[in-house]
């Protein structure tokens, strides 16, 4: 094989390896143990390169890794084929030189089997692509002698000149020599801040980046012409590992491989299997003895540990290691978790208020009073019998815990809390932008995705076949119309599937309730409602968890067939589809209980039936709010415990174990390989690839919906969300530091489309809570009774007012109870919850005027509540500025200082020019004062005088 000069390899002698013909070793009977002993006595090159963090010379740092699969037999056959076409002298020369990254050459086989053209094509593409990378200024080193059989690694290093060039292209803001004082608070605020710092010192992470700064370096977009502005005293650390990997990744994306008639960047080569992986390296090990200090180890100790759950996150160090986009996610998660603390405290107070006043609640006391002796109509046909209202005493008392006047206040509070949270995050985001030098940063259009380029190529080839113009081809809406149609039909089908499953669970509840009612035991009949509700909610939870995974895959497939042009477009479309499907999936059962259950029941003697056999289910005597609370709590807690935590812990570990077992089966390790320590890039290759932040944001957004949308029915939701998030932060941190390959750092100044989704949920929460309070709870009927119908201004008689009467002789044929004497006496009149005329009225069983009075009050409450809370939220949004005053002052100060720096530079240049002119003038005068003979003696003397300033 040709010796490829684009790979920098040390000579074999410097590595402590002697190249000996393999067949000759076998002929003289050289023992493998003896060779191992000889190698162990030689210098270990892995220690010099810090086990893969540097090139073999131990000086050039590895900035990026490309991984590919190869077949050694195919490489040997290809080598034999190439050597065969060269002359004998060339053959002998090339056999004496090692392949890049290899210590020995393979011998030619006598017979050559069938050639694997597919593997050869991949290898040719890799060679061309890597050659183009070298032309772009990168330095490469190959390593195929690894513990992972059939996997080769290409180590990439970006030298100083390439880093400078790309930093200028990317307009990276770098710190200059100029330092300035950050404005500090004075007077009372300074004392308060110092007290707060002393109090919070135990919960601050022990990280240098987290300490409050009083001095900041002035930042400016890097320019090679203005290198004198920057502090280049230590070039090795001027560009940190995150920045170096970002620069290399930009080069990898734009470097092309034209073997297949069209340009292919690294994304296309990964999609086509030319390379199997591409990733930057972690800084080193995070655990073990004698581990050198590094940022990864520090993050593991001060961030990715459950023992530091009470501490603040070292956000600046997270940004330094993972980049701005991931740093913003964890900063947002931290702000959200902090804001849940006051919401949790108020929610606990509301719940305790309900517990304290449950014995003073007159409606529940009337329902529990045995003396009232209210006989209720059957809950189902034939099999169900009459029942006493006092048997629902426990349900009525439990409903008061969540259905009391304090929940209305809590709904208003949570709406204002959501608005305050959004404003607080915007201000925190601006502080981070200032601290991370992102002010003025604008995202540029990304490179086209591999799938988009392939579609454009396919389209251009079709037009080329038809002899049409192929310049500047792009995909239009006509090209994407089949995909758009598929998306529309697919989403409608998935939403319909969710509704169908919820409808199936409703049928299950109705049929199970009827079946349990036949039970001969009194305990079985009394626990029908609890049993049906609990089992139905568990079924809903299991279905939601399964469909969440299915909908995530379907949303990705629907986005892929759309073929978005850039990664940003792809991510935004994927987020929209996944959020829509998962929102419908998670909240449809809750919406049913909140707004539809018990609304279309009918009345005794004229019930509404499904499929002419199943009667629509009713709410409990205390209302549907208690059932809504049960549904919400089980689904929320179940999703958090099972889906968010167990899946996040279990699935990555399972994948890692499966990958480890596959690699262990595939490789045949000798004694020397067992003794050899793995390189850094080999260890990182066994980690899980980074799949983006969409799943992390999605689970938090769904949780935010649980906290805000139905908070009127479950005041403890913020508390459970807070407890989950305390674990979630450390779980995600541990996953990023220990379980995942290091992601490429991406610059971002905000959280993108997620902010708009949060604002939308906050607005929707106001409307939903207004309807929950007015239609699901009994808050409005109580107010109407208290101010319109109560005789003594109290709630006495409210339960009787909400119940209508029914004459049992008006039952339809075949629907009356089979055992009318179950209570021990004959029932003439039974009661049911509704506002209808009594049987002795002229318009018996028609809707009464009380119903319309309550409905009008409910609608009026929705309108007043919605507009009042919306106005208060907008007022909070308006009164809190998006940019903190001190940050705006610092940004202005930076601009003034930067202008001063350039003005001084210009003044220095002008002074230098004036100095040169004065020297030129004086030199000219001196030349004119010379004698004529001297001036004529040498023709170049005068010109040399005038050229003096240019030489200087």
């Amino acid at each position: 094989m040709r010796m490829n000069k684009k790979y920098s390899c040390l000579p074999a002698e410097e590595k402590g390896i002697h190249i000996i013909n393999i067949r000759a070793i076998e002929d003289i009977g050289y023992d493998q143990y003896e060779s191992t002993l000889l190698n162990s006595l030689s210098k270990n090159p892995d220690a010099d390169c810090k086990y893969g963090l540097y090139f073999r010379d131990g000086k050039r740092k590895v900035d990026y890794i490309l991984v590919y699969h190869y077949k050694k037999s195919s490489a040997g056959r290809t080598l034999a084929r190439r050597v065969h076409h060269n002359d004998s002298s060339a053959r002998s020369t090339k056999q004496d030189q090692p392949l890049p990254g290899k210590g020995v050459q393979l011998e030619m086989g006598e017979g050559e089997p069938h050639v694997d053209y597919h593997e050869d094509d991949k290898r040719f593409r890799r060679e061309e692509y890597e050659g183009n990378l070298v032309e772009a200024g990168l330095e490469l080193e190959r390593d195929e002698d690894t513990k992972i059989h059939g996997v080769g690694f290409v180590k990439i290093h970006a030298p100083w000149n390439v880093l400078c060039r790309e930093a200028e292209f990317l307009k990276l803001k770098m710190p200059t020599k100029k330092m300035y004082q950050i404005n500090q608070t004075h007077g009372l605020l300074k004392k308060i801040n110092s007290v707060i710092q002393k109090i919070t010192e135990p919960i601050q992470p022990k990280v240098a980046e987290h300490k409050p700064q009083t001095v900041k370096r002035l930042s400016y977009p890097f320019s090679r012409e203005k290198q004198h502005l920057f502090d280049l005293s230590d070039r090795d650390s001027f560009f940190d590992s995150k920045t170096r990997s970002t620069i290399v990744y930009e080069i990898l994306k734009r470097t092309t491989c034209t073997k297949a008639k069209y340009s292919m960047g690294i994304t296309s080569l990964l999609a086509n299997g030319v390379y199997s992986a591409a990733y930057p390296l972690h800084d080193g090990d995070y655990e073990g003895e004698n581990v050198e200090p590094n940022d990864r180890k520090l993050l593991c100790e001060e961030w990715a540990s459950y023992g530091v759950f009470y501490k603040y996150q070292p956000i600046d160090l997270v940004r330094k290691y993972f980049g701005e986009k991931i740093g913003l996610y964890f900063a947002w998660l931290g702000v959200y978790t902090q804001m849940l603390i006051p919401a949790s405290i108020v929610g606990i107070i509301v719940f305790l208020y309900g517990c304290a006043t449950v014995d003073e609640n007159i409606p529940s006391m009337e329902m529990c009073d045995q003396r009232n002796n209210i006989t209720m109509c059957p809950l189902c046909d034939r099999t169900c019998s009459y029942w006493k209202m006092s048997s629902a005493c426990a349900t009525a008392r439990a409903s008061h815990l969540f259905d009391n006047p304090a929940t209305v206040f809590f709904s208003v509070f949570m709406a204002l809390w959501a608005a305050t949270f959004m404003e607080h995050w915007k201000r925190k985001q601006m502080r981070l932008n200032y601290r991370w030098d992102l002010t003025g940063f604008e995202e540029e259009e990304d490179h086209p995705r591999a799938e988009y380029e392939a579609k454009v190529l396919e389209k251009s080839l079709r037009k080329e076949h038809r002899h049409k113009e192929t310049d500047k081809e792009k995909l239009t809406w006509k090209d994407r119309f089949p995909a758009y149609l598929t998306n529309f039909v697919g989403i409608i089908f998935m939403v319909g599937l969710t509704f169908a499953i919820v409808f199936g669970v409703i049928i299950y509840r109705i049929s199970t309730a009827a079946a349990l009612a036949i039970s001969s035991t009194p305990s079985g009949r009394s626990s029908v409602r609890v049993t049906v509700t609990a089992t139905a909610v568990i079924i809903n939870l299991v279905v939601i968890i399964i469909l969440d995974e299915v909908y995530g895959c379907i949303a990705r497939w629907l986005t892929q067939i759309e073929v978005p042009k850039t990664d940003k477009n792809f991510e935004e479309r994927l987020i929209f589809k996944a959020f829509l499907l998962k929102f419908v999936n998670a909240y449809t059962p809750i919406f049913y209980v909140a707004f539809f259950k018990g609304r279309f029941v009918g009345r005794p003697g004229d019930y509404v039936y499904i499929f002419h056999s199943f009667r629509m289910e009713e709410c409990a005597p205390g209302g549907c709010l208690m059932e809504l609370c049960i549904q919400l709590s089980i689904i929320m807690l179940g999703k958090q415990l099972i889906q968010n935590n167990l899946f996040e812990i279990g699935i990555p570990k399972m994948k890692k174990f499966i990958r480890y077992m596959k690699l262990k089966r595939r490789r045949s390790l000798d004694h020397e390989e067992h003794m050899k320590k793995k390189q850094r890039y080999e260890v990182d290759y066994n980690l899980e690839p980074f799949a983006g932040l969409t799943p992390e944001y999605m689970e938090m957004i769904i949780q935010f919906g649980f906290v805000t949308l139905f908070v009127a029915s479950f005041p403890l939701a913020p508390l459970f969300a807070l407890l989950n998030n305390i674990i979630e932060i450390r779980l995600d941190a541990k996953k990023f530091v220990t379980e995942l390959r290091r992601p490429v750092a991406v610059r971002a100044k905000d959280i993108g489309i997620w902010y708009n989704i949060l604002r939308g949920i906050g607005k929707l929460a106001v409307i939903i809570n207004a309807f929950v309070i007015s239609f699901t709870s009994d808050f409005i009927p109580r107010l109407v009774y208290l101010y319109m119908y109560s005789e003594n201004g109290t709630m006495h008689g409210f339960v009787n007012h909400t119940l209508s009467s029914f004459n049992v002789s008006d039952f339809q044929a075949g629907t009356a109870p089979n055992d009318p004497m179950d209570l021990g006496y004959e029932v003439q009149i039974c009661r049911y919850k509704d506002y209808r005329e009594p049987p002795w009225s002229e318009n018996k069983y028609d809707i009464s005027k009380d119903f319309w009075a309550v409905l009008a009050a409910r609608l009026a409450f929705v309108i007043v509540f919605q507009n009042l809370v919306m106005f208060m939220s907008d007022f909070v949004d308006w009164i809190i500025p998006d940019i903190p005053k001190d940050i705006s002052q610092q940004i202005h100060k930076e601009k003034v200082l930067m202008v001063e720096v350039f003005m001084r530079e210009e003044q220095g240049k002008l002074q230098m020019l004036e100095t040169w002119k004065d020297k030129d003038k004086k030199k000219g005068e001196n030349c004119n004062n010379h004698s004529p003979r001297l001036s004529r003696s040498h023709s170049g003397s005068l010109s040399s005088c005038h050229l003096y300033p240019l030489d200087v």
Side-chain angles (χ1 to χ4, degrees):
M1 180 181 275
R2 297 188 303 271
M3 181 60 188
N4 203 336
K5 295 182 180 179
K6 64 177 178 279
Y7 300 107
S8 62
C9 295
L10 292 179
E13 289 77 15
E14 294 184 25
K15 298 181 182 179
I17 303 172
H18 295 280
I19 301 179
I20 306 173
N21 189 289
I22 294 177
R23 192 165 292 175
I25 294 176
E26 294 175 354
D27 291 342
I28 64 175
Y30 211 73
D31 193 277
Q32 188 175 1
Y33 173 76
E34 295 175 8
S35 66
T36 305
L37 181 61
L38 287 175
N39 284 334
S40 65
L41 294 175
S42 63
K43 187 178 179 182
N44 184 11
D46 292 341
D48 293 339
C49 66
K50 294 188 178 179
Y51 295 97
L53 288 174
Y54 289 82
F55 276 22
R56 286 286 177 180
D57 57 9
K59 298 177 181 178
R60 291 171 293 171
K61 189 173 183 180
V62 177
D63 298 319
Y64 219 87
I65 291 291
L66 300 179
V67 187
Y68 60 92
H69 291 278
Y70 68 93
K71 294 181 179 179
K72 289 187 177 181
S73 58
S74 174
R77 290 194 298 270
T78 308
L79 173 65
R81 192 163 57 252
R82 286 191 171 188
V83 171
H84 179 72
H85 291 291
N86 291 324
D87 57 359
S88 58
S89 61
R91 185 186 307 120
S92 61
T93 303
K94 289 174 184 178
Q95 283 180 346
D96 289 339
Q97 292 177 343
L99 282 172
K102 293 185 179 180
V104 294
Q105 284 277 16
L106 296 173
E107 289 286 327
M108 289 188 298
E110 295 293 334
E112 187 175 334
H114 181 68
V115 180
D116 191 345
Y117 291 105
H118 186 61
E119 290 296 324
D120 288 345
D121 179 63
K122 287 184 179 180
R123 183 168 51 80
F124 292 151
R125 291 190 188 185
R126 285 197 296 268
E127 287 181 357
E128 184 200 356
Y129 181 70
E130 290 160 13
N132 294 339
L133 291 179
V134 173
E135 290 179 3
L138 298 177
E139 297 176 3
L140 311 182
E141 184 178 84
R142 188 190 297 273
D143 184 9
E144 291 183 355
D145 185 21
T146 64
K147 294 184 75 172
I148 305 176
H149 179 72
V151 176
F153 298 87
V154 177
K155 296 174 276 186
I156 302 176
H157 169 77
W160 172 256
N161 61 326
V162 174
L163 293 172
C164 293
R165 182 191 71 205
E166 297 299 322
E168 186 173 350
F169 291 166
L170 296 173
K171 301 176 183 177
L172 295 179
K173 274 191 172 183
M174 304 302 295
T176 63
K177 297 176 183 177
K178 176 70 176 176
M179 302 181 71
Y180 67 95
Q181 196 79 17
I182 297 176
N183 293 338
Q184 300 294 322
T185 55
H186 301 285
L188 181 62
L189 286 177
K190 185 177 181 180
K191 293 181 180 179
I192 294 173
N193 287 339
S194 63
V195 171
I196 292 174
Q197 286 179 7
K198 289 180 181 178
I199 294 174
T200 59
E201 187 176 356
I203 60 175
Q204 300 290 344
K206 298 176 182 178
V207 175
E209 287 81 357
H210 197 76
K211 294 178 180 178
Q213 297 179 347
T214 58
V215 177
K216 187 177 185 293
R217 286 188 178 272
L218 195 63
S219 296
Y220 185 74
F222 188 82
S223 172
R224 287 172 289 181
E225 295 179 356
K226 293 182 172 57
Q227 286 194 28
H228 57 277
L229 295 176
F230 302 94
D231 184 12
L232 302 179
S233 56
D234 186 5
R235 290 189 172 187
D236 293 336
S237 62
F238 183 73
F239 295 106
D240 57 13
S241 59
K242 165 197 60 111
T243 308
R244 296 174 71 98
S245 63
T246 303
I247 288 173
V248 173
Y249 182 63
E250 288 295 324
I251 298 174
L252 292 175
K253 283 199 295 185
R254 72 165 185 260
T255 302
T256 57
C257 173
T258 56
K259 282 285 184 187
K261 293 181 67 176
Y262 67 102
S263 62
M264 297 174 66
I266 186 61
T267 52
S268 302
L269 294 173
L270 288 169
N272 293 331
V274 178
Y275 290 101
S276 58
Y279 52 88
L281 291 179
H282 280 291
D283 278 358
D285 291 326
Y286 60 90
E287 61 182 358
E289 298 180 358
N290 303 322
V291 175
E292 293 186 5
N294 57 71
D295 287 342
R296 189 188 187 194
K297 185 175 186 295
L298 188 59
L299 281 172
C300 188
E301 293 172 352
E302 294 294 328
W303 182 52
S305 172
Y306 295 110
V308 294
F309 72 92
Y310 59 92
K311 288 187 176 183
Y312 285 101
Q313 299 182 85
I315 292 297
D316 291 324
L317 184 60
V318 174
R319 172 253 179 180
K320 177 186 174 185
Y321 193 78
F322 291 110
E324 286 79 6
K325 192 170 185 178
I326 293 176
L328 281 172
Y329 163 69
F330 282 103
W332 173 83
L333 185 55
V335 170
Y336 171 47
T337 304
Q338 281 181 334
M339 290 294 292
L340 282 172
I341 295 174
S344 303
I345 294 172
V346 176
I348 292 172
I349 293 173
V350 170
F351 178 74
L352 293 178
Y353 171 81
C355 295
T357 58
V358 66
D359 291 330
E360 301 172 5
N361 182 37
I362 295 175
S364 61
M365 291 170 62
E366 288 184 348
M367 289 183 65
C368 296
D369 192 355
Q370 298 282 351
R371 295 171 296 179
N372 286 336
N373 197 25
I374 299 176
T375 303
M376 303 297 293
C377 295
L379 296 174
C380 61
D381 293 340
R382 296 188 301 275
T383 55
C384 298
S385 185
Y386 305 105
W387 56 285
K388 294 284 189 181
M389 174 169 269
S390 57
S391 63
C393 175
T395 307
R397 290 173 63 85
S399 296
H400 179 73
L401 300 177
F402 306 101
D403 187 4
N404 56 69
T407 57
V408 180
F409 157 76
F410 191 56
S411 300
V412 177
F413 170 81
M414 287 304 294
L416 298 179
W417 172 88
T420 308
F421 162 61
M422 301 305 295
E423 290 304 309
H424 180 44
W425 167 243
K426 280 196 289 187
R427 290 169 64 84
K428 178 71 173 178
Q429 195 170 251
M430 282 305 303
R431 290 188 180 277
L432 294 176
N433 285 342
Y434 163 73
R435 222 158 66 203
W436 296 348
D437 298 321
L438 291 173
T439 52
F441 167 71
E442 295 294 336
E443 293 185 12
E444 298 179 358
E445 187 175 355
D446 202 358
H447 298 277
R449 297 174 62 250
E451 293 81 357
Y452 181 84
E453 288 184 336
K455 279 288 184 182
V456 170
L457 171 69
E458 185 182 337
K459 182 179 179 181
S460 61
L461 289 177
R462 284 201 306 267
K463 288 198 172 184
E464 185 180 338
H465 182 68
R466 298 171 187 171
H467 306 288
K468 293 183 178 180
E469 288 289 331
T470 59
D471 294 337
K472 296 181 180 179
E473 285 294 337
K474 63 179 182 180
L475 297 183
T476 62
W477 69 269
K478 292 181 181 178
D479 300 318
R480 292 191 173 104
F481 180 74
Y484 290 154
L485 185 62
T486 305
N487 269 260
F488 178 76
V489 174
I491 291 174
I492 294 298
F493 175 76
M494 292 302 141
V495 172
L497 176 64
T498 304
F499 289 163
I501 291 173
V502 171
F503 184 73
V505 174
I506 294 171
I507 299 297
Y508 161 80
R509 293 160 67 112
I510 296 171
S511 57
T512 306
L516 291 176
I518 309 175
S519 174
S520 57
T521 59
S523 60
R525 288 196 298 269
S526 62
S527 60
V528 168
R529 193 176 295 277
V530 177
T531 305
V532 170
T533 301
T535 55
V537 172
I538 292 173
I539 292 172
N540 274 327
L541 174 62
V542 173
V543 170
I544 286 172
I545 291 175
I546 294 173
L547 287 184
D548 254 2
E549 303 301 321
V550 174
Y551 286 169
C553 298
I554 290 175
R556 180 168 291 276
W557 175 75
L558 290 175
T559 309
Q560 285 173 347
I561 63 174
E562 278 188 50
V563 197
K565 184 176 181 180
T566 63
D567 287 331
K568 184 179 180 182
N569 293 340
F570 180 88
E571 186 180 20
E572 288 181 350
R573 296 185 185 193
L574 173 62
I575 288 169
F576 174 75
K577 294 181 184 66
F579 174 74
L580 178 64
L581 292 175
K582 292 190 177 187
F583 182 89
V584 172
N585 180 41
Y587 296 115
T588 299
I590 301 172
F591 269 94
Y592 164 72
V593 175
F595 302 122
F596 296 99
K597 184 179 179 182
R599 309 290 172 194
F600 312 103
V601 177
R603 60 171 179 81
D606 188 20
Y607 285 114
V608 177
Y609 292 89
I610 303 174
F611 305 133
H612 303 287
S613 56
F614 296 106
R615 206 177 93 186
M616 288 294 290
E617 55 182 344
E618 303 177 39
C619 289
C624 278
L625 197 69
M626 186 61 199
E627 190 169 340
L628 176 62
C629 174
I630 295 172
Q631 184 106 0
L632 186 66
S633 58
I634 292 179
I635 291 178
M636 180 181 176
L637 295 177
K639 274 180 66 66
Q640 289 182 349
L641 291 175
I642 299 173
Q643 193 173 21
N644 297 355
N645 293 333
L646 291 182
F647 281 14
E648 284 193 19
I649 296 173
I651 291 179
K653 288 189 177 297
M654 186 174 66
K655 287 182 178 179
K656 186 178 179 182
F657 177 74
I658 292 172
R659 197 182 306 111
Y660 170 76
M661 295 303 294
K662 284 183 178 178
L663 290 172
K664 191 175 181 181
R665 260 199 313 271
R666 281 170 49 192
R667 65 193 181 205
S668 55
L669 302 175
D670 58 12
H671 179 71
E672 180 183 357
E673 287 177 326
H674 274 297
M675 298 299 293
K676 186 169 62 175
K677 183 179 177 180
K678 272 189 176 183
Q679 304 286 336
R680 177 78 262 153
Y681 43 85
E682 294 179 77
V683 176
D684 287 2
Y685 177 70
N686 291 329
L687 298 177
E688 187 74 13
F690 175 63
L693 289 171
T694 301
E696 314 299 333
Y697 273 113
M698 188 66 70
E699 64 183 70
M700 288 296 106
I701 297 296
I702 296 295
Q703 184 204 81
F704 182 77
F706 281 119
V707 168
T708 55
L709 292 179
F710 296 94
V711 74
S713 63
F714 190 41
L716 296 179
L719 175 64
F720 290 118
L722 173 65
L723 297 176
N724 174 80
N725 287 6
I726 291 173
I727 301 172
E728 179 74 21
I729 289 175
R730 307 303 164 181
L731 182 64
D732 283 347
K734 196 172 186 66
K735 182 172 68 174
F736 272 84
V737 174
T738 65
E739 300 288 341
L740 298 180
R741 294 176 190 162
R742 188 175 183 177
V744 180
V746 178
R747 286 188 298 169
K749 62 187 300 184
D750 52 40
I751 60 175
I753 193 174
W754 297 110
Y755 182 80
N756 298 327
I757 293 176
L758 284 169
R759 284 190 68 88
I761 292 177
K763 300 294 184 185
L764 183 63
V766 177
I767 302 171
I768 289 179
N769 280 302
F771 277 95
V772 168
I773 294 170
S774 60
F775 285 92
T776 309
S777 75
D778 283 338
F779 178 74
I780 300 300
R782 287 172 187 167
L783 286 181
V784 171
Y785 176 79
L786 186 65
Y787 293 107
M788 290 182 63
Y789 300 103
S790 177
E791 297 177 357
N792 52 7
T794 64
M795 292 300 296
H796 287 287
F798 169 74
V799 174
N800 187 59
H801 177 75
T802 59
L803 298 177
S804 298
S805 300
F806 177 75
N807 193 331
V808 297
S809 62
D810 294 331
F811 270 121
Q812 292 180 350
T815 61
N818 294 332
D819 186 8
M821 299 295 292
D822 185 54
L823 294 179
Y825 56 88
E826 185 179 358
V827 178
Q828 300 292 333
I829 299 292
C830 66
R831 310 294 296 274
Y832 61 98
K833 190 171 183 179
D834 204 348
Y835 291 102
R836 291 182 179 271
E837 297 290 343
W840 51 83
S841 173
E842 296 181 359
N843 303 316
K844 64 177 183 178
Y845 307 133
D846 285 350
I847 294 174
S848 65
K849 61 179 182 179
D850 297 342
F851 171 84
W852 299 111
V854 171
L855 179 62
R858 281 173 165 166
L859 294 176
F861 176 83
V862 168
I863 295 171
V864 172
F865 181 89
Q866 176 184 331
N867 286 280
L868 178 63
V869 175
M870 288 282 191
F871 170 77
M872 295 171 69
S873 300
D874 292 340
F875 180 75
V876 170
D877 192 357
W878 172 75
I879 202 172
I880 301 176
D882 294 345
I883 305 176
K885 187 177 179 180
D886 59 326
I887 296 299
S888 61
Q889 290 175 349
Q890 298 290 351
I891 294 173
H892 178 70
K893 186 176 181 179
E894 276 196 354
K895 291 179 180 178
V896 173
L897 288 172
M898 187 54 65
V899 171
E900 289 180 1
V901 169
F902 284 116
M903 288 299 292
R904 288 175 185 172
E905 188 178 359
E906 289 296 324
Q907 290 174 1
K909 288 180 181 179
L910 289 174
Q911 290 176 0
M912 190 178 294
L913 287 173
E914 289 176 0
T915 305
W916 285 354
K917 286 179 181 179
D918 293 341
K919 289 182 179 180
D920 187 15
K921 188 175 181 181
K922 290 179 181 179
K923 190 67 177 176
E925 291 176 355
N926 292 336
C927 290
N928 291 334
N929 292 333
H930 287 171
S931 62
R933 182 179 57 82
L934 184 62
S935 63
R936 287 194 298 268
S937 64
H938 196 280
S939 60
S941 62
L942 188 63
S943 63
S944 64
C945 291
H946 288 292
L947 287 175
Y948 172 74
L950 295 178
D951 294 339
V952 172

